[in-house]
Amino acid sequence: MVASYVGENKEFARQYLSGELEVELVPQGTLAEKIRSGGAGIPAFYTHTGIGTLVETGGIPIKYAKNGDVEIFSQPHCTGVFDGKRYVMEESISGDYALVKAWKADELGNLVFRASANNFNAPMATAGKVTIVEAEEIVPVGELKPDQIHIPGIHVHRIIKCEKNEKKIEKLTVRQDQAGEAGLPAAMQKRIRIIKRAAREFKDGMYANLGIGMPMLASNYIDPGITVYLQSENGVLGLGPFPTRGEVDPDLINAGKETVTVLQGGSFFSSDVSFGMIRGNRIDMSVLGGMEVSQTGDLANWIVPGKMVKGMGGAVDLVSASGTRVVVTMDHCSKDGSPKILKRCTLPLTGVECVNRIITDMCVFDVVPGKGLLLRELASGCSVDQVRAATGCEFTVASDVAETF
């Protein structure tokens, strides 16, 4: 199986880690482009995504033995240099069958997707020798206007009417009353402090992408006096706050499968278009979670080999875009008290020298190219000495460092 994000699928993770399933994990944007290119008859392409990581060098576990040893590792990729910049070569994907879910299909096979349900459905529909579509509604030819059609019928071979249109919501997420924050557990209050500080990174008119988990919550604390255009890898531009219970729509979710809203002027598109925006440096800032960050700005946030696997998702693509500012939000230390900011990362890397700023429950660090970490701000009640004791590498202290959040 070729996949990008396992997420919370415990059975999938169990089968992979126990050796029952061979899984090739790839960056989500690369997967989208593999499928799009396969459907377009392009055998391979070059991308900067994954340069300097195991994506390039090989070594990602594909199959585990029952005793936990790795039986099959991913192989090194071919690389090329264009305009002085290194890229990896990725081979395209096409399938014997493509299984697609559509909102509406007409009798010629023309397809329309609803809201964020476009995602991988559109490129998948073009990449199968036989494309089978389950449609919520099949309409007569002519009812779908030509400028509404997402996939023309030339790609579609069979249409099945959905008899039981049950749409399950994996992560029902609704807007919380901020007045109730004081009653939350201490761990959540700590997270909210990080989230609120991260929300101050947004600037008026900015295009931003927020990672799954803590970063996404920052959208609820954006200054109401500014406009920020939030992009989600699954094909949404213009995300708003989480919905009220009355606003919940199962076809409107973010990349973390949480229910969301969309602001006026928002738009929907397919995943391959979404990652084209990311690789094309259209996103001003990305806020991501982190397991480890090095003093030079290397980031590790997608796997603990043999123990925990969620998959790369879109993080490797996001940090590979040279024009995107990368802000990492995370606890300063692990649950056992060990530092997560280190001289060198011990986990497989998401990106090399890609992080610009780190925001933790204790402080804010800037990564200064060629120099290392600069302590910019302190959280309320934290001292420089406390930060130094909790950090696994050296850093310098800004002359105006102060408690700011």
Side-chain angles (χ1 to χ4, degrees):
M1 179 173 290
V2 181
S4 173
Y5 186 69
V6 178
E8 318 308 322
N9 190 326
K10 294 181 180 180
E11 178 58 21
F12 188 110
R14 184 197 67 77
Q15 290 186 27
Y16 171 55
L17 294 173
S18 66
E20 297 175 28
L21 187 65
E22 291 185 19
V23 180
E24 181 184 350
L25 292 167
V26 299
Q28 192 166 109
T30 296
L31 180 59
E33 190 62 20
K34 278 174 171 280
I35 296 166
R36 189 205 68 81
S37 296
I42 298 170
F45 58 91
Y46 282 95
T47 176
H48 188 65
T49 299
I51 281 289
T53 73
L54 295 181
V55 172
E56 176 193 358
T57 63
I60 300 171
I62 290 178
K63 186 177 189 301
Y64 284 94
K66 291 184 178 180
N67 65 0
D69 293 339
V70 179
E71 286 187 350
I72 303 173
F73 287 101
S74 66
Q75 296 300 304
H77 278 58
C78 295
T79 60
V81 178
F82 301 89
D83 294 328
K85 190 173 182 179
R86 285 196 310 123
Y87 295 79
V88 297
M89 190 183 78
E90 295 282 0
E91 296 184 7
S92 303
I93 294 175
S94 58
D96 294 322
Y97 292 91
L99 306 179
V100 174
K101 177 70 181 289
W103 178 38
K104 291 182 179 180
D106 69 14
E107 293 162 343
L108 285 177
N110 295 310
L111 306 180
V112 176
F113 306 107
R114 183 173 178 275
S116 63
N118 192 326
N119 55 66
F120 269 84
N121 276 308
M124 285 284 188
T126 70
K129 294 177 182 176
V130 176
T131 295
I132 303 172
V133 177
E134 182 185 46
E136 295 179 30
E137 186 178 350
I138 300 175
V139 300
V141 174
E143 185 164 323
L144 301 179
K145 297 185 184 304
D147 59 357
Q148 293 178 329
I149 292 168
H150 294 122
I151 294 295
I154 194 171
H155 295 291
V156 177
H157 302 86
R158 300 173 193 167
I159 308 169
I160 301 170
K161 174 71 167 59
C162 180
E163 296 297 335
K164 185 179 180 182
N165 189 30
E166 181 183 6
K167 295 184 180 181
K168 295 182 179 180
I169 298 174
E170 289 193 46
K171 291 186 178 180
L172 176 61
T173 311
V174 295
R175 202 173 309 163
Q176 299 294 324
D177 182 4
Q178 294 182 18
E181 289 176 2
L184 293 173
M188 189 59 195
Q189 290 191 43
K190 182 173 70 172
R191 287 167 63 89
I192 288 174
R193 177 158 66 171
I194 300 171
I195 292 160
K196 286 183 174 180
R197 174 57 190 84
R200 286 161 45 189
E201 297 292 307
F202 297 118
K203 308 300 180 187
D204 192 32
M206 175 181 280
Y207 289 94
N209 180 288
L210 306 182
I212 295 169
M214 189 160 34
M216 182 56 67
L217 295 174
S219 63
N220 290 325
Y221 297 95
I222 295 175
D223 184 341
I226 67 173
T227 300
V228 178
Y229 304 97
L230 298 179
Q231 191 252 21
S232 185
E233 301 100 296
N234 62 318
V236 186
L237 185 62
L239 286 175
F242 292 123
T244 63
R245 290 196 174 273
E247 295 173 324
V248 169
D249 182 342
D251 282 331
L252 188 45
I253 60 173
N254 62 24
K257 302 182 181 180
E258 298 167 316
T259 47
V260 292
T261 61
V262 172
L263 302 176
Q264 285 191 336
S267 56
F268 302 107
F269 34 86
S270 60
S271 293
D272 57 312
V273 172
S274 179
F275 282 98
M277 296 176 186
I278 292 168
R279 286 191 305 273
N281 288 315
R282 307 298 183 185
I283 307 301
D284 298 307
M285 183 177 72
S286 178
V287 184
L288 299 170
M291 295 177 186
E292 293 177 347
V293 180
S294 78
Q295 63 182 357
T296 58
D298 298 342
L299 172 65
N301 75 347
W302 69 274
I303 190 172
V304 179
K307 294 182 179 180
M308 187 281 290
V309 56
K310 289 183 177 295
M312 302 170 190
V316 180
D317 305 272
L318 286 160
V319 303
S320 297
S322 59
T324 299
R325 176 175 170 81
V326 175
V327 177
V328 171
T329 58
M330 64 181 190
D331 293 334
H332 204 97
C333 296
S334 300
K335 292 180 180 179
D336 63 3
S338 59
K340 297 174 69 173
I341 301 172
L342 306 166
K343 187 174 182 179
R344 286 183 294 273
C345 293
T346 64
L347 297 172
L349 296 183
T350 305
V352 177
E353 296 183 2
C354 58
V355 177
N356 300 103
R357 174 162 282 187
I358 310 166
I359 301 174
T360 77
D361 52 303
M362 296 185 73
C363 67
V364 176
F365 280 120
D366 278 346
V367 181
V368 182
K371 295 183 179 179
L373 297 180
L374 176 65
L375 180 62
R376 283 285 189 189
E377 303 173 30
L378 293 168
S380 178
C382 290
S383 68
V384 173
D385 287 342
Q386 287 174 318
V387 172
R388 203 177 298 280
T391 304
C393 61
E394 297 296 322
F395 58 84
T396 56
V397 181
S399 58
D400 59 349
V401 70
E403 296 182 9
T404 63
F405 67 103

Short mmCIF file of all heavy atoms in Angstrom, two decimals, residues 244-270:
data_model
loop_
_atom_site.label_atom_id
_atom_site.label_comp_id
_atom_site.label_asym_id
_atom_site.label_seq_id
_atom_site.Cartn_x
_atom_site.Cartn_y
_atom_site.Cartn_z
N THR A 244 -20.39 26.01 14.82
CA THR A 244 -21.32 25.70 15.89
C THR A 244 -21.99 24.37 15.53
O THR A 244 -21.86 23.88 14.41
CB THR A 244 -22.39 26.79 16.03
OG1 THR A 244 -23.17 26.82 14.81
CG2 THR A 244 -21.76 28.17 16.25
N ARG A 245 -22.71 23.80 16.47
CA ARG A 245 -23.35 22.50 16.16
C ARG A 245 -24.34 22.63 15.01
O ARG A 245 -24.52 21.70 14.23
CB ARG A 245 -24.05 21.95 17.41
CG ARG A 245 -23.05 21.49 18.47
CD ARG A 245 -23.68 20.59 19.53
NE ARG A 245 -22.66 20.07 20.43
CZ ARG A 245 -21.97 18.95 20.20
NH1 ARG A 245 -22.22 18.24 19.11
NH2 ARG A 245 -21.05 18.54 21.06
N GLY A 246 -24.96 23.79 14.88
CA GLY A 246 -25.91 24.00 13.80
C GLY A 246 -25.26 24.21 12.44
O GLY A 246 -25.94 24.12 11.41
N GLU A 247 -23.97 24.48 12.41
CA GLU A 247 -23.26 24.74 11.16
C GLU A 247 -22.51 23.51 10.65
O GLU A 247 -21.93 23.56 9.56
CB GLU A 247 -22.24 25.87 11.34
CG GLU A 247 -22.86 27.23 11.65
CD GLU A 247 -21.78 28.26 11.99
OE1 GLU A 247 -20.77 27.90 12.63
OE2 GLU A 247 -21.97 29.43 11.62
N VAL A 248 -22.49 22.41 11.38
CA VAL A 248 -21.69 21.25 11.02
C VAL A 248 -22.13 20.69 9.66
O VAL A 248 -23.32 20.49 9.40
CB VAL A 248 -21.81 20.16 12.10
CG1 VAL A 248 -21.21 18.84 11.62
CG2 VAL A 248 -21.11 20.61 13.37
N ASP A 249 -21.16 20.44 8.78
CA ASP A 249 -21.40 19.90 7.45
C ASP A 249 -20.39 18.77 7.23
O ASP A 249 -19.19 19.00 7.24
CB ASP A 249 -21.19 21.01 6.41
CG ASP A 249 -21.46 20.55 4.98
OD1 ASP A 249 -21.49 19.33 4.73
OD2 ASP A 249 -21.64 21.42 4.10
N PRO A 250 -20.84 17.53 7.02
CA PRO A 250 -19.90 16.41 6.86
C PRO A 250 -19.03 16.50 5.62
O PRO A 250 -18.00 15.83 5.54
CB PRO A 250 -20.82 15.18 6.79
CG PRO A 250 -22.15 15.71 6.40
CD PRO A 250 -22.24 17.08 6.98
N ASP A 251 -19.41 17.33 4.65
CA ASP A 251 -18.59 17.52 3.45
C ASP A 251 -17.60 18.67 3.61
O ASP A 251 -16.90 19.01 2.65
CB ASP A 251 -19.47 17.80 2.23
CG ASP A 251 -20.09 16.54 1.67
OD1 ASP A 251 -19.47 15.47 1.82
OD2 ASP A 251 -21.20 16.62 1.11
N LEU A 252 -17.56 19.26 4.79
CA LEU A 252 -16.69 20.41 5.00
C LEU A 252 -15.76 20.11 6.18
O LEU A 252 -16.11 20.32 7.35
CB LEU A 252 -17.53 21.67 5.27
CG LEU A 252 -16.79 23.01 5.33
CD1 LEU A 252 -15.80 23.15 4.21
CD2 LEU A 252 -17.79 24.15 5.31
N ILE A 253 -14.57 19.59 5.86
CA ILE A 253 -13.60 19.21 6.88
C ILE A 253 -12.22 19.73 6.49
O ILE A 253 -11.97 20.08 5.33
CB ILE A 253 -13.53 17.68 7.08
CG1 ILE A 253 -13.12 16.98 5.77
CG2 ILE A 253 -14.86 17.14 7.60
CD1 ILE A 253 -12.87 15.50 5.90
N ASN A 254 -11.31 19.77 7.46
CA ASN A 254 -9.93 20.15 7.17
C ASN A 254 -9.08 18.91 6.97
O ASN A 254 -9.58 17.78 6.98
CB ASN A 254 -9.38 21.07 8.26
CG ASN A 254 -9.33 20.40 9.63
OD1 ASN A 254 -9.28 19.18 9.75
ND2 ASN A 254 -9.37 21.20 10.69
N ALA A 255 -7.76 19.10 6.82
CA ALA A 255 -6.87 17.97 6.56
C ALA A 255 -6.81 16.99 7.73
O ALA A 255 -6.44 15.82 7.55
CB ALA A 255 -5.47 18.48 6.23
N GLY A 256 -7.16 17.44 8.93
CA GLY A 256 -7.20 16.57 10.09
C GLY A 256 -8.55 15.91 10.31
O GLY A 256 -8.80 15.31 11.36
N LYS A 257 -9.46 16.04 9.32
CA LYS A 257 -10.80 15.45 9.33
C LYS A 257 -11.71 16.09 10.35
O LYS A 257 -12.75 15.53 10.72
CB LYS A 257 -10.72 13.93 9.55
CG LYS A 257 -9.90 13.20 8.51
CD LYS A 257 -9.89 11.71 8.72
CE LYS A 257 -9.03 11.00 7.68
NZ LYS A 257 -9.02 9.54 7.86
N GLU A 258 -11.35 17.30 10.81
CA GLU A 258 -12.20 18.05 11.74
C GLU A 258 -13.21 18.87 10.95
O GLU A 258 -12.90 19.41 9.88
CB GLU A 258 -11.35 18.98 12.60
CG GLU A 258 -10.34 18.26 13.47
CD GLU A 258 -9.31 19.21 14.06
OE1 GLU A 258 -8.82 20.09 13.32
OE2 GLU A 258 -9.01 19.08 15.25
N THR A 259 -14.42 19.00 11.48
CA THR A 259 -15.43 19.85 10.85
C THR A 259 -15.00 21.31 10.96
O THR A 259 -14.45 21.75 11.97
CB THR A 259 -16.79 19.66 11.52
OG1 THR A 259 -16.64 19.72 12.96
CG2 THR A 259 -17.39 18.32 11.16
N VAL A 260 -15.22 22.07 9.88
CA VAL A 260 -14.78 23.46 9.82
C VAL A 260 -15.85 24.32 9.15
O VAL A 260 -16.87 23.82 8.70
CB VAL A 260 -13.45 23.60 9.03
CG1 VAL A 260 -12.30 22.96 9.77
CG2 VAL A 260 -13.59 23.03 7.62
N THR A 261 -15.59 25.62 9.08
CA THR A 261 -16.40 26.54 8.30
C THR A 261 -15.50 27.19 7.25
O THR A 261 -14.28 27.08 7.31
CB THR A 261 -17.04 27.63 9.18
OG1 THR A 261 -16.00 28.40 9.81
CG2 THR A 261 -17.94 27.03 10.24
N VAL A 262 -16.13 27.87 6.30
CA VAL A 262 -15.39 28.60 5.27
C VAL A 262 -15.91 30.03 5.23
O VAL A 262 -17.12 30.28 5.28
CB VAL A 262 -15.55 27.93 3.88
CG1 VAL A 262 -14.96 28.80 2.79
CG2 VAL A 262 -14.87 26.58 3.87
N LEU A 263 -14.97 30.98 5.16
CA LEU A 263 -15.33 32.39 5.13
C LEU A 263 -15.82 32.80 3.75
O LEU A 263 -15.59 32.11 2.75
CB LEU A 263 -14.11 33.24 5.51
CG LEU A 263 -13.50 32.96 6.89
CD1 LEU A 263 -12.25 33.82 7.08
CD2 LEU A 263 -14.50 33.23 8.00
N GLN A 264 -16.48 33.95 3.67
CA GLN A 264 -16.88 34.49 2.38
C GLN A 264 -15.62 34.70 1.52
O GLN A 264 -14.60 35.19 1.99
CB GLN A 264 -17.61 35.82 2.55
CG GLN A 264 -19.03 35.68 3.06
CD GLN A 264 -19.80 36.99 2.97
OE1 GLN A 264 -19.21 38.06 2.97
NE2 GLN A 264 -21.11 36.91 2.92
N GLY A 265 -15.71 34.32 0.26
CA GLY A 265 -14.55 34.42 -0.62
C GLY A 265 -13.70 33.17 -0.63
O GLY A 265 -12.70 33.11 -1.36
N GLY A 266 -14.07 32.17 0.17
CA GLY A 266 -13.32 30.92 0.20
C GLY A 266 -13.53 30.11 -1.06
O GLY A 266 -14.41 30.40 -1.88
N SER A 267 -12.71 29.07 -1.23
CA SER A 267 -12.81 28.24 -2.44
C SER A 267 -12.41 26.81 -2.13
O SER A 267 -11.72 26.53 -1.14
CB SER A 267 -11.93 28.81 -3.55
OG SER A 267 -10.58 28.92 -3.13
N PHE A 268 -12.84 25.90 -3.01
CA PHE A 268 -12.52 24.47 -2.90
C PHE A 268 -11.81 24.01 -4.18
O PHE A 268 -12.08 24.53 -5.27
CB PHE A 268 -13.79 23.64 -2.71
CG PHE A 268 -14.60 24.04 -1.50
CD1 PHE A 268 -15.80 24.71 -1.64
CD2 PHE A 268 -14.16 23.73 -0.23
CE1 PHE A 268 -16.55 25.07 -0.54
CE2 PHE A 268 -14.90 24.10 0.89
CZ PHE A 268 -16.10 24.77 0.73
N PHE A 269 -10.94 23.02 -4.05
CA PHE A 269 -10.18 22.53 -5.19
C PHE A 269 -9.64 21.16 -4.82
O PHE A 269 -9.78 20.69 -3.68
CB PHE A 269 -9.05 23.49 -5.57
CG PHE A 269 -8.44 24.18 -4.38
CD1 PHE A 269 -7.42 23.59 -3.65
CD2 PHE A 269 -8.91 25.42 -3.97
CE1 PHE A 269 -6.88 24.21 -2.53
CE2 PHE A 269 -8.37 26.06 -2.85
CZ PHE A 269 -7.35 25.45 -2.13
N SER A 270 -8.97 20.51 -5.75
CA SER A 270 -8.45 19.16 -5.53
C SER A 270 -7.11 19.20 -4.80
O SER A 270 -6.45 20.24 -4.72
CB SER A 270 -8.30 18.42 -6.86
OG SER A 270 -7.40 19.12 -7.69
#
